[in-house]
């Protein structure tokens, strides 16, 4: 028979993949440059379904890329820039070796550079796509902005990350889009709603860094290089959507307020301006300063396929969001030296509050501690020497809990020296049957405008304790009466007298219709389960097992909480007395 002989590994899945070494040789790049190019272009290795076929019968561990991705990289202009940079380094070494200093200066002036603008446009066709991918960029930029100026990372990168993150925080303050805050061991989690997209990012604490040795900072720096370009584009677009100047500038009135006598001694002009922006205490300048006019309320019409009830529910939700944005309106805060200034200033300003601090802490304070209009003084120490009678002295957790509860919480639980209530995560949403902590129930009651359940329970507990004491006295009396009756009966038996026998009439048992209906439903359900097919029965058993496990976990947590509350009861009683 004629025809071409089929050869192994020349068609099918074997031709769709290429190993990393072959891809590197095809692009004529070193391994670090190839890795850098893949990170910038968003190309990642793939695990083939039939690894042995793709590996041509071998079982050796290899990294595979899609062949079409590598062909796509062949036309990338940055590859040419990488080669130019390699030639530049070789020429620079040669000039240093020959001590030709004029050549060194000339080469440094003509150092090859490249931009990543076209890659950002290529990877994100629309602005919403870029906005959805901003979470990783924010986390990485906030991390790099906290780095010390050591040899691990370029100083210019740290400064750029700091500038971009400050711009982002100022935007969030201006549009009041912050929704949730959570203080964790890793850092502080924030969630903001920007153009309908929920973005969550993590900000590390301002501690000194102990750089781990097992982390490749070159890979992180490559990601940061791309993320800074992306975040710059996003900030530019967002600022123009709010009619704000970019790069951001302070409002003229706010700038005059922040002008200080010793400003020149504090920092250089360029640095002091960034410091004023990062203080987060002043409003930003707009492109066209228009007088504030009353906004005309637009008529609301239901969306296609939406009835009036849904429209009303949507309107109610919007009103609640608008109210949440103004929970700190009219409140003036003063931050003590020991509290996290940047985080608290950011959160307070996002919800309409005014904030200031001592001049020696940071530039940008707007009023002093002696201001009589201050309503809340945030302190993180057991006592304060000098206290003013017209303000509340509270711990920092109150601010974060108010944001998550979407209302101004009572300050009694957050006074100085008081044991704070648990800081609940706003990212946990309890479903039906899950364990809900008592503190969450208390907040839910406050949101509904009801009396907190915990206070009612405490009152009930006091009443129960009193009732128990009364019942104990009554039981003691009953026991004494019973003992006397028993003694009389024993005396009658010993004397041979017959005991009096009483016959009580029986009572008619009335059937409960609700219980009977419940029993009938249970019987029907049992019969329906019996009639199930084997596969359906297996699936049903799995569902029921999961539900029972959830109930067990909820009961276990409730029992733990009860044991904890019982252990705390004696100390609470002593405190009340």
């Amino acid at each position: 028979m004629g025809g071409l002989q089929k050869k192994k590994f020349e068609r099918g899945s074997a031709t769709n993949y290429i190993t990393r070494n072959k891809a590197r040789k095809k692009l004529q790049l070193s391994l670090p440059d190839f890795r850098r190019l893949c990170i910038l272009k968003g190309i990642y290795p793939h695990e083939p379904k039939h690894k042995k076929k793709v590996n041509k019968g071998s079982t050796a561990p290899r990294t595979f890329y899609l062949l079409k991705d590598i062909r796509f990289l062949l036309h990338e202009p940055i590859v040419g820039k990488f080669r130019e940079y390699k030639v530049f380094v070789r020429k620079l070494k040669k000039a240093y070796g020959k001590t030709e200093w004029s050549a060194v200066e000339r080469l440094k002036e003509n150092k090859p550079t490249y931009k990543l603008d076209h890659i950002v446009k290529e990877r994100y066709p629309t602005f919403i796509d870029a906005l959805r991918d901003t979470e990783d960029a924010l986390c990485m930029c906030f991390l790099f902005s906290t780095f010390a100026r050591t040899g691990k990372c370029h100083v210019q990168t740290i400064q750029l990350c700091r500038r971009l993150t400050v711009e982002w925080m100022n935007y969030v303050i201006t549009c009041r889009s912050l929704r949730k805050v959570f203080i964790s061991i890793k850092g502080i989690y924030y969630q903001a709603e920007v153009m309908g997209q929920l973005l969550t990012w993590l900000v590390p604490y301002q501690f000194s860094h102990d750089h781990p040795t097992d982390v490749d900072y070159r890979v992180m720096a490559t990601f940061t290089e791309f993320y800074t370009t992306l975040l710059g584009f996003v900030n530019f677009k967002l600022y123009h959507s709010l009619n704000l100047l970019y790069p951001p500038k302070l409002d003229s009135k706010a700038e005059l307020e922040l002008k200080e006598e010793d400003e020149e001694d504090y920092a250089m002009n360029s640095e002091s301006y960034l410091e004023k922006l990062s203080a987060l205490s002043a409003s930003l300048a707009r492109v066209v300063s228009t007088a504030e006019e009353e906004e005309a309320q637009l008529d609301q019409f239901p969306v296609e396929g939406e009835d009036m009830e849904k429209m009303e529910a949507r309107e109610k939700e919007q009103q609640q969001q608008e109210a949440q944005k103004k929970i700190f309106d009219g409140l003036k805060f003063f931050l003590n030296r020991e509290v996290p200034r940047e985080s608290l200033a950011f959160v307070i300003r996002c919800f309409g509050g005014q904030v200031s601090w001592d001049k020696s802490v940071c530039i940008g304070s707007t009023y002093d501690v002696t201001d009589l209009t201050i309503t809340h003084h945030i302190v993180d120490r057991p006592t304060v020497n000098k206290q003013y009678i017209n303000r509340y002295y509270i711990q920092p957790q109150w601010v974060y809990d108010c944001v998550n509860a979407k209302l101004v919480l009572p300050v009694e639980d957050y006074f100085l020296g008081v044991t704070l209530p648990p800081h609940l995560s706003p990212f946990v949403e309890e479903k039906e049957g899950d364990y809900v902590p008592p503190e969450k129930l208390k907040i839910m009651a406050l949101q509904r405008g009801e009396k907190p359940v915990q206070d009612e329970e405490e009152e009930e507990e006091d009443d129960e304790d009193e009732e128990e004491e009364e019942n104990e006295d009554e039981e003691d009396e009953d026991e004494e009466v019973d003992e006397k009756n028993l003694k009389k009966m024993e005396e009658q038996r010993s004397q041979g007298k017959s005991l009096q026998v009483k016959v009580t009439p029986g009572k008619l048992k009335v059937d409960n219709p609700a219980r009977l209906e419940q029993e009938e439903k249970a019987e029907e359900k049992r019969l329906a389960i019996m009639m199930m097919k084997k596969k359906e029965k297996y699936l049903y058993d799995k569902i029921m097992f999961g539900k029972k496990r959830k109930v067990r976990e909820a009961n276990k947590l409730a029992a733990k909480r009860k044991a904890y509350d019982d252990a705390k009861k004696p100390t609470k009683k002593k405190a009340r007395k």
Side-chain angles (χ1 to χ4, degrees):
M1 293 293 287
L4 292 170
Q5 188 182 358
K6 286 185 179 178
K7 291 184 180 178
K8 266 189 171 185
F9 315 118
E10 284 194 0
R11 57 178 72 186
S13 59
T15 57
N16 295 333
Y17 294 91
I18 186 170
T19 60
R20 189 175 66 179
N21 276 339
K22 281 186 179 178
R24 202 169 51 77
K25 285 172 184 174
K26 195 179 183 83
L27 293 166
Q28 297 179 4
L29 290 172
S30 62
L31 185 58
D33 283 347
F34 175 73
R35 190 183 287 133
R36 193 174 177 190
L37 180 65
C38 287
I39 289 168
L40 294 174
K41 293 287 284 184
I43 287 166
Y44 300 99
H46 285 264
E47 187 73 19
K49 198 174 182 181
H50 305 288
K51 202 168 181 181
K52 200 172 179 182
K53 281 183 186 177
V54 174
N55 215 359
K56 297 183 179 177
S58 172
T59 54
R62 284 197 179 96
T63 307
F64 292 97
Y65 288 84
L66 286 171
L67 187 62
K68 63 175 184 179
D69 288 345
I70 302 304
R71 283 177 181 161
F72 172 64
L73 289 177
L74 284 167
H75 308 287
E76 178 54 48
I78 286 181
V79 175
K81 290 288 181 182
F82 284 171
R83 289 176 189 141
E84 283 178 26
Y85 190 79
K86 199 176 273 186
V87 172
F88 159 75
V89 170
R90 192 165 63 240
K91 284 181 178 178
L92 196 67
K93 280 182 179 177
K94 205 172 187 180
Y96 268 116
K98 289 182 176 181
T99 63
E100 295 175 353
W101 306 118
S102 59
V104 168
E105 290 297 321
R106 179 173 48 80
L107 285 167
K108 281 184 177 179
E109 284 173 8
N110 299 315
K111 183 182 175 180
T113 56
Y114 58 87
K115 287 187 175 182
L116 303 177
D117 301 1
H118 66 285
I119 295 179
V120 172
K121 290 173 186 174
E122 183 184 283
R123 284 179 67 172
Y124 307 108
T126 63
F127 179 63
I128 295 297
D129 294 329
L131 204 57
R132 283 180 192 140
D133 208 32
T134 313
E135 289 185 348
D136 293 334
L138 286 169
C139 290
M140 192 66 86
C141 287
F142 270 104
L143 174 66
F144 267 71
S145 68
T146 59
F147 280 177
R149 297 185 179 188
T150 57
K152 291 283 182 185
C153 182
H154 291 294
V155 177
Q156 290 86 354
T157 308
I158 295 168
Q159 287 174 340
L160 178 60
C161 288
R162 177 63 182 161
R163 181 174 69 78
L164 290 169
T165 51
V166 166
E167 286 172 6
W168 172 262
M169 285 193 289
N170 274 298
Y171 168 78
V172 174
I173 287 169
T174 307
C175 67
R176 295 194 183 184
S177 59
L178 193 67
R179 294 288 173 269
K180 294 175 182 176
V181 193
F182 180 60
I183 306 163
S184 74
I185 296 168
K186 290 181 181 178
I188 303 173
Y189 286 91
Y190 297 100
Q191 189 179 79
E193 190 179 352
V194 180
M195 291 190 173
Q197 304 297 321
L198 283 174
L199 303 174
T200 310
W201 70 94
L202 175 65
V203 179
Y205 295 116
Q206 297 284 340
F207 295 141
S208 58
H209 280 278
D210 183 21
H211 293 288
T213 53
D214 57 342
V215 174
D216 193 347
Y217 281 90
R218 287 179 301 174
V219 173
M220 286 176 69
T222 309
F223 273 106
T224 309
E225 186 183 359
F226 174 73
Y227 285 149
T228 48
T229 311
L230 170 63
L231 198 55
F233 271 104
V234 170
N235 283 351
F236 175 82
K237 185 84 174 174
L238 290 174
Y239 268 68
H240 281 279
S241 70
L242 286 183
N243 195 25
L244 294 169
L245 287 170
Y246 191 86
K249 289 185 178 179
L250 293 173
D251 195 13
S252 54
K253 289 179 184 177
E255 199 171 356
L256 286 169
E257 285 175 12
L258 295 179
K259 195 84 175 170
E260 293 179 9
E261 295 173 5
D262 57 345
E263 191 179 301
E264 291 178 5
D265 301 335
Y266 184 81
M268 292 188 292
N269 288 334
S270 57
E271 287 183 356
S272 69
Y273 201 80
L274 181 63
E275 288 291 325
K276 282 179 190 174
L277 273 175
S278 60
L280 308 174
S281 60
S283 54
L284 300 177
R286 296 188 178 272
V287 178
V288 181
S289 56
T290 54
E292 290 183 5
E293 296 176 2
E294 288 185 6
E295 292 183 6
Q297 287 189 349
L298 299 172
D299 294 332
Q300 295 286 339
F301 296 102
V303 187
E304 192 178 342
E306 186 183 46
D307 56 0
M308 288 299 290
E309 287 181 7
K310 284 183 180 177
M311 193 187 82
E312 285 172 6
R314 185 161 51 81
E315 281 180 14
K316 193 177 178 183
E317 193 178 339
Q318 284 176 354
Q319 286 171 2
Q320 284 176 350
Q321 279 190 0
E322 288 299 318
Q324 186 198 352
K325 289 177 185 178
K326 299 173 182 176
I327 57 171
F328 292 148
D329 262 5
L331 301 181
K332 282 184 97 170
F333 294 83
F334 190 86
L335 308 180
N336 232 39
R337 301 179 64 86
E338 68 278 358
V339 300
R341 187 202 64 81
E342 190 172 280
S343 172
L344 283 166
F346 174 57
V347 173
I348 290 164
R349 291 264 293 124
C350 278
F351 292 92
Q354 290 182 329
V355 64
S356 185
W357 46 86
D358 194 72
K359 287 180 182 178
S360 60
V361 174
C362 179
I363 197 170
S365 61
T366 50
Y367 47 87
D368 206 19
V369 68
T370 54
D371 192 338
L372 297 176
T373 57
I374 293 170
T375 56
H376 295 76
H377 194 132
I378 299 173
V379 185
D380 200 9
R381 55 179 73 179
T383 54
V384 178
N385 294 330
K386 191 180 179 183
Q387 293 192 9
Y388 293 85
I389 201 165
N390 59 343
R391 65 180 75 164
Y392 292 116
Y393 287 84
I394 49 172
Q395 298 184 52
Q397 190 184 314
W398 180 80
V399 175
Y400 301 109
D401 285 352
C402 285
V403 170
N404 295 334
K406 302 176 184 177
L407 53 90
V408 178
L409 294 172
V411 292
E412 291 81 18
D413 297 336
Y414 299 89
F415 283 147
L416 305 186
V418 175
T419 305
L420 291 167
H423 180 56
L424 301 171
S425 171
F427 299 100
V428 176
E429 291 180 1
E430 288 85 3
K431 295 174 185 174
E432 193 180 348
D434 289 352
Y435 169 73
V436 184
E439 288 78 19
K440 187 83 177 266
L441 293 170
K442 184 181 177 182
I443 290 167
M444 285 161 72
L446 284 167
Q447 285 171 346
R448 290 192 299 270
E450 300 170 6
K451 191 180 179 184
V453 179
Q454 201 171 351
D455 296 343
E456 289 175 7
E457 283 178 0
E458 284 174 5
E459 287 174 11
E460 284 173 11
E461 280 174 10
D462 293 339
D463 295 338
E464 281 173 12
D465 292 339
E466 288 173 9
E467 284 174 12
E468 279 174 12
E469 287 172 6
E470 288 173 7
N471 290 337
E472 281 172 8
D473 296 336
E474 287 174 7
E475 282 172 8
D476 292 338
E477 290 172 7
D478 292 340
E479 281 174 8
E480 288 174 6
V481 172
D482 290 339
E483 281 176 10
K484 285 177 182 178
N485 290 336
L486 283 169
K487 282 179 182 177
K488 279 182 184 178
M489 287 168 75
E490 282 173 8
E491 285 172 5
Q492 285 175 356
R493 274 184 187 169
S494 60
Q495 291 170 6
K497 291 179 182 178
S498 58
L499 297 171
Q500 293 176 357
V501 179
K502 289 180 182 179
V503 178
T504 54
K507 290 179 182 178
L508 184 67
K509 190 178 180 184
V510 182
D511 289 329
N512 188 358
R515 188 173 59 79
L516 287 170
E517 191 182 346
Q518 201 174 355
E519 284 176 2
E520 280 177 18
K521 282 183 180 177
E523 185 64 21
E524 283 173 14
K525 189 179 178 182
R526 189 179 67 81
L527 292 169
I529 292 164
M530 284 171 67
M531 293 298 289
M532 276 182 182
K533 292 175 185 176
K534 196 174 181 181
K535 279 186 179 179
E536 290 172 354
K537 180 75 167 62
Y538 175 73
L539 184 63
Y540 176 78
D541 288 342
K542 290 265 284 182
I543 292 165
M544 292 310 293
F545 176 76
K547 282 184 177 178
K548 284 175 183 174
R549 184 173 58 190
K550 268 189 177 181
V551 170
R552 279 200 303 272
E553 285 172 1
N555 291 340
K556 196 175 179 183
L557 288 168
K560 274 186 176 179
R561 182 60 195 238
K562 192 176 182 301
Y564 172 79
D565 288 341
D566 290 344
K568 286 277 181 184
K569 260 184 191 178
T571 52
K572 279 184 182 178
K573 282 182 184 176
K574 282 179 185 177
R576 279 179 204 162
K577 287 174 184 178

